[in-house]
Amino acid sequence: MGALLDLVQLRTFVAIAECGGFGRAASALRTSQPTVSQHVRSLERVIGQPLVERTGRSTRFTLAGEALLVEARRLLAVHDEAMGRLGAERPAALSVGAVEHAGYAALPDLLGALMSALPAQDVVFRLDRSTTLAEATMRGTLDMALILGVVPNVGGRQVATLPLRWLGAPGWFLPPPDRPVPLVAFQEPCSLRGQAVRVLERLGWSVRITTEATNLEGVLAAARARLGLALLPTAYGVPDGLEEIAPLPRQEAVGLRLVSRQGLDPAIEARAGEALNAFFSSVARFSGSRSEQVPIGNSN
């Protein structure tokens, strides 16, 4: 018999796709990043082709990897259904979405706070944009999601308030009024991108989008490379390698909201909300003495 696909390794592979990378998958699975990498290498030996490729700091699936991802989800679904019919199904995991990098450097601590509040639940994270997470929660494919309050008509409860900061590379200056302001931002749709453009135009500048990114790391890299100004919500203060552009008017803080699917046990929602509120309150207190800061949240 030839080599066989390992279900544990397939779950790891799916987690990489759903969490957005090896490190985040390791945190969500409560394992180490070397273990995640080892699982991928084992799958590559079975398939006989590379499954992932690195482009700079990011990782993406190859065509073979995309094909395996489809089959992995199918195989895991069939396996879990069979275990259910045999009366040996795993307890249902609590699926929690979070705006991209809502846990950034603090994802293990954030996951730990939720697990401590919900000891009977197996918590699984999914990182994505706020609009996508809100839609998934409304459809019932996510139990709960942490999203930015810029998404309209989502309800839920506010668990934190994140200050909005105008950020640029050290020594970056605004251009004179007769020249456009270069702006780096997330790809549309993005509410904060629109807010930045409106504020700058009211101040008399025209705006030129110099860089569009699909993730937070892309926006930060473009700002550090002096490609433009960025408007970002932050939890830990000013990110390393950037500084706040003081002449621009301070923007109102944006709320971080916890939304839940219809029918979720209210006690679970209440405990999760209390744990998240306490977690972000401690982050806010800690950030005052932290020298290396990281932002929190994708704008949509």
Side-chain angles (χ1 to χ4, degrees):
M1 181 180 293
L4 300 176
L5 290 168
D6 183 283
L7 291 177
V8 173
Q9 295 169 0
L10 291 178
R11 289 194 191 278
T12 299
F13 197 70
V14 171
I16 293 170
E18 293 181 344
C19 296
F22 281 52
R24 298 168 193 160
S27 295
L29 294 171
R30 286 168 286 165
T31 188
S32 66
Q33 187 165 333
T35 298
V36 172
S37 299
Q38 182 182 12
H39 287 181
V40 173
R41 287 194 297 270
S42 296
L43 290 171
E44 288 178 331
R45 286 194 293 270
V46 172
I47 301 301
Q49 298 182 63
L51 300 175
V52 297
E53 58 186 15
R54 295 190 179 276
T55 54
R57 297 178 61 186
S58 63
T59 302
R60 68 175 185 176
F61 291 124
T62 62
L63 290 177
E66 294 285 358
L68 178 61
L69 183 61
V70 173
E71 299 298 338
R73 286 176 167 145
R74 183 179 299 148
L75 286 169
L76 292 172
V78 170
H79 170 270
D80 293 347
E81 290 169 5
M83 293 294 283
R85 290 192 296 270
L86 293 169
E89 62 182 328
R90 298 163 57 187
L94 184 71
S95 58
V96 180
V99 284
E100 186 186 14
H101 302 291
Y104 206 58
L107 181 58
D109 294 332
L110 180 58
L111 181 57
L114 276 175
M115 291 174 60
S116 297
L118 304 166
Q121 301 290 149
D122 186 10
V123 180
V124 177
F125 260 106
R126 169 183 168 187
L127 300 176
D128 214 321
R129 297 175 68 120
S130 289
T131 48
T132 303
L133 295 173
E135 291 168 0
T137 306
M138 287 188 289
R139 290 196 306 268
T141 57
L142 269 179
D143 292 313
M144 295 186 295
L146 274 170
I147 65 173
L148 292 183
V150 294
V151 181
N153 305 317
V154 294
R157 59 185 290 177
Q158 185 163 300
V159 296
T161 301
L162 308 181
L164 277 176
R165 291 184 170 94
W166 299 98
L167 301 173
W172 189 91
F173 295 102
L174 286 162
D178 60 338
R179 299 188 62 185
V181 174
L183 186 71
V184 298
F186 292 99
Q187 289 183 348
E188 294 282 24
C190 176
S191 298
L192 291 180
R193 170 176 168 160
Q195 178 176 337
V197 171
R198 288 191 299 272
V199 170
L200 291 169
E201 288 180 343
R202 282 200 300 268
L203 293 172
W205 276 284
S206 60
V207 177
R208 181 169 62 92
I209 306 296
T210 59
T211 304
E212 291 183 323
T214 59
N215 54 47
L216 180 61
E217 289 180 354
V219 174
L220 291 176
R224 289 179 179 127
R226 311 181 71 83
L227 296 179
L229 178 72
L231 178 64
L232 291 173
T234 63
Y236 289 109
V238 177
D240 185 46
L242 295 172
E243 64 183 20
E244 196 162 3
I245 307 302
L248 290 170
R250 186 174 295 275
Q251 301 299 293
E252 285 190 20
V254 60
L256 186 63
R257 304 191 68 80
L258 177 66
V259 295
S260 304
R261 65 168 172 81
Q262 186 174 6
L264 182 68
D265 185 346
I268 291 178
E269 181 180 2
R271 289 197 298 273
E274 291 166 2
L276 292 169
N277 187 278
F279 174 80
F280 285 109
S281 294
S282 67
V283 166
R285 290 193 298 270
F286 178 66
S287 66
S289 60
R290 183 183 173 102
S291 60
E292 183 177 338
Q293 314 289 351
V294 287
I296 207 166
N298 188 335
S299 58
N300 275 56

